[in-house]
Amino acid sequence: MATATVPGHVAIIMDGNGRWASKRGRPRWMGHVRGAHTAREIVAHCARAGVQQLTLYAFSSDNWKRPREEVGFLLDLFTSHLDRQLATLIKHGIRLSIIGRRDRLPPALVTAIEHAEARSAQGTRMHLRVAIDYSSRAAITAALTNGETPAAESLLPNVDMVIRTGGERRLSDFLLWECAYAELAFLDVHFPDLSTADVDAVFADFAARERRFGAVGKQPAPAADVVLADA
Ligand code: IPE
Ligand code: IPE
Ligand code: MG
């Protein structure tokens, strides 16, 4: 159930899959498979907790620099997961959108994306966005250069809470504009091991923070200040 203290828009940088596998003497792709499993559980948990918007970083535009086999594996994983998860998302009232560039994705993935977006469009419980071939700097540049129809496709509503797993303390080109006043949580746990209890602990920490937005004393989150994609 939604409570006032749960962050409205949560963004997760799902990092550490490869190291999770390497630590166990396994190939990196196994970490991605486990990571996808974890993502499913975290999505369900956030919906139950009352999160309104959840944005997951699955593949950055810089991730094309990885070995061809790993990139191919990830793109196939996204395609099969979209198809397999769709019914569950619809059942739970979750609307799915994919953000990022589509013109470099394999046609089968684009088809799966379009199908999943269309079929889940009526979901009102939570808006799940998955970032694939996403670059925040590219999104901001697009918003600036789109002229009369700005932002609608590229900039999202303000993020309240960012969670990055895997121990790194950086944003790696994720939602730079949207995180202007986001609270940040950097967790050492690798993404496949992220538990619902870890997420609850982050939310408890969020509830205890005093968000001031430049003013004095605790302030409500201000309304978004630019034309934005649909919440
Ligand atoms: C995150 O895990 C998943 C993607 C970036 C696709 P990584 O694959 O970056 O795992 P590490 O950081 O190398 O451990
Ligand atoms: C960020 O993780 C991208 C995703 C989690 C999808 P990376 O593993 O690509 O980030 P860097 O290279 O460590 O900054
Ligand atoms: Mg990484």
Side-chain angles (χ1 to χ4, degrees):
M1 209 192 29
T3 72
T5 54
V6 172
H9 186 181
V10 175
I12 305 182
I13 302 173
M14 306 185 290
D15 196 24
N17 291 348
R19 281 165 288 159
W20 180 93
S22 301
K23 238 176 54 183
R24 290 163 174 76
R26 303 278 172 80
R28 290 174 59 84
W29 64 263
M30 283 194 188
H32 297 315
V33 170
R34 285 297 290 255
H37 180 79
T38 300
R40 218 161 53 213
E41 290 181 347
I42 298 300
V43 166
H45 187 67
C46 285
R48 274 196 303 270
V51 170
Q52 299 295 302
Q53 301 179 68
L54 175 64
T55 305
L56 302 178
Y57 205 7
F59 189 88
S60 79
S61 293
D62 287 319
N63 289 148
W64 292 110
K65 299 170 188 163
R66 295 186 176 203
R68 208 157 52 94
E69 299 70 34
E70 180 168 349
V71 169
F73 185 85
L74 283 165
L75 298 174
D76 287 348
L77 188 65
F78 300 149
T79 309
S80 60
H81 262 256
L82 277 176
D83 287 338
R84 272 191 276 138
Q85 288 311 304
L86 183 59
T88 310
L89 294 177
I90 293 170
K91 191 170 119 203
H92 290 101
I94 298 171
R95 174 184 169 194
L96 175 71
S97 305
I98 305 298
I99 59 170
R101 283 179 66 163
R102 293 194 187 175
D103 58 314
R104 299 188 287 197
L105 302 180
L109 177 52
V110 175
T111 302
I113 289 171
E114 288 171 352
H115 179 67
E117 288 184 335
R119 292 282 318 282
S120 69
Q122 306 308 319
T124 55
R125 186 171 177 205
M126 185 174 83
H127 192 169
L128 169 66
R129 295 187 187 85
V130 179
I132 299 177
D133 195 0
Y134 174 85
S135 155
S136 182
R137 284 177 298 185
I140 292 168
T141 308
L144 290 173
T145 54
N146 273 353
E148 286 166 27
T149 49
E153 299 301 316
S154 43
L155 299 184
L156 307 184
N158 292 329
V159 170
D160 296 299
M161 181 88 235
V162 175
I163 303 171
R164 182 175 187 145
T165 59
E168 313 296 352
R169 293 165 183 253
R170 54 180 172 251
L171 292 177
S172 300
D173 202 11
F174 190 46
L175 302 176
L176 304 178
W177 171 282
E178 293 85 346
C179 287
Y181 273 99
E183 302 294 327
L184 308 175
F186 297 104
L187 308 183
D188 288 334
V189 64
H190 293 315
F191 186 72
D193 284 337
L194 181 70
S195 68
T196 57
D198 293 328
V199 173
D200 287 342
V202 169
F203 289 175
D205 183 54
F206 175 87
R209 293 190 196 186
E210 185 177 79
R211 302 184 79 196
R212 295 187 285 274
F213 299 98
V216 177
K218 190 178 170 76
Q219 305 290 321
D225 44 6
V226 290
V227 181
L228 297 165
D230 293 346

